[in-house]
Amino acid sequence: MVSKAVAKYVHALHLKKYRLRHQAFLVEGGKSVVELLRSGLLTERVFLTAEFAAKIPSLPAKVPVEIVTEEELTKLGTLANNTTALAIARLPEELPLEPAPNKLLLALDEVRDPGNLGTLIRLADWYGLQGVVCSESCADPWAPKTIAATMGSFTRVRVWQRELPEWLDALPADLPRYGAHLEGDNVHRLDLRPGGVLIMGSESHGPRPEVLARLTQRLFIPGAGGAESLNVAVSAAILLDNFHRAL
Amino acid sequence: MVSKAVAKYVHALHLKKYRLRHQAFLVEGGKSVVELLRSGLLTERVFLTAEFAAKIPSLPAKVPVEIVTEEELTKLGTLANNTTALAIARLPEELPLEPAPNKLLLALDEVRDPGNLGTLIRLADWYGLQGVVCSESCADPWAPKTIAATMGSFTRVRVWQRELPEWLDALPADLPRYGAHLEGDNVHRLDLRPGGVLIMGSESHGPRPEVLARLTQRLFIPGAGGAESLNVAVSAAILLDNFHRAL
């Protein structure tokens, strides 16, 4: 039986304002909660159904665990139906944001859809990028929908939030700043290697003009059909694969 | 003022059962409706707000147009807020499904998320693929969420629905059947050219065993990080770019 105070706290964490105030976020679903418990992130509390608890090899020693019904779990979280697990995790401390040689940073300008943002964080994990820099106008990296779309990658990928134009201006002048553009250079004709920043814009408009103006190289993905553009995560995936062809 | 009978018909088209029965589907939002009117697809009826109607250079001559309020439009459709347009379109007639030389077909096994399906149809449009073959267990290609995610590509990309194992068995024996697999060949070491079928599986499980067993070549996307897998549209994008490097 979840206490009223705890339920109130969990419900508050549905909202960005309270995630910031409490420096905590929700992780929903068995797979994501298991990834959380295996990771270096701090966990405040875990809620499990008895059925799911029986499937986990060992429960965490230092984390309070509550066994709840599926109905209670579903009421606590944001999913339409959660039959497994929910956890409260601490927001990680922000590490220094310094571009590393031979690693790419992914910078996102106004990616407002949490599903797209989560897919991009998962992609950054796949390629072992240094991390993801989000403009303040992006979806919240710690929103339940973002966390779900990362498929566990939220435990491994570093995320920073910055005003992109100012942050880009403060970077070393010789650091490459790449971005997708319909009039850019054909990526298949370039020998791209990881290093610098790859900047991706919003779903419908691409990066804002003040961000576009700060690119040092525009990259074009050749196509042969009728679509005017690609989804932001899809474009980022194709570009990142072109940066990592030496793997 | 939309008549009760028309409103009832539009509401019925929210559901797959009635889309099939009436052989019609809904197109929502100004951009998609404009693409529909420019395309070869038959349109039964268009609903526009007065504000949006004023922005369209010319209204279609042979299609009934109703001017409605934003409130009426939002009540008719599935979007939380539609301030522009909604249309009823006829399902296109199915064309013969015969693999063409030098063109890829994209086959999708159990892609249940309409957003992913729409993104994949948009991707097929970008690369000018021959079309997309969906297993019966995929999301409905004519669902409003799928149509929205195609960003207009539903007007250009041919879609078929087939039982994949049986369909694959009936193809010419020498036609390549590619699929993503964690133990496949590194795509960066292959010289892939468009031709045959690229088969992508569901978000969480990959293709079913009976589909996997029918692949002639397994393709692996090299990564360097911690993620176990990639989103289905993201994987398809990277593979399709590798098939089209001669562009």
Side-chain angles (χ1 to χ4, degrees), chain A residues 122 126 188 224-225 229 241-242, chain B residues 122 126 188 224-225 229 241 245:
Chain A
R122 184 177 174 193
W126 182 264
H188 297 160
S229 66
D241 183 63
N242 276 276
Chain B
R122 184 177 173 193
W126 182 265
H188 296 161
S229 65
D241 183 63
R245 293 189 64 81

Side-chain angles (χ1 to χ4, degrees), chain A residues 47-54 66-70 73 82-85:
Chain A
F47 307 87
L48 305 171
T49 58
E51 198 185 346
F52 187 72
E66 288 194 48
I67 300 297
V68 293
T69 65
E70 291 182 12
L73 201 59
N82 185 351
T83 63
T84 52

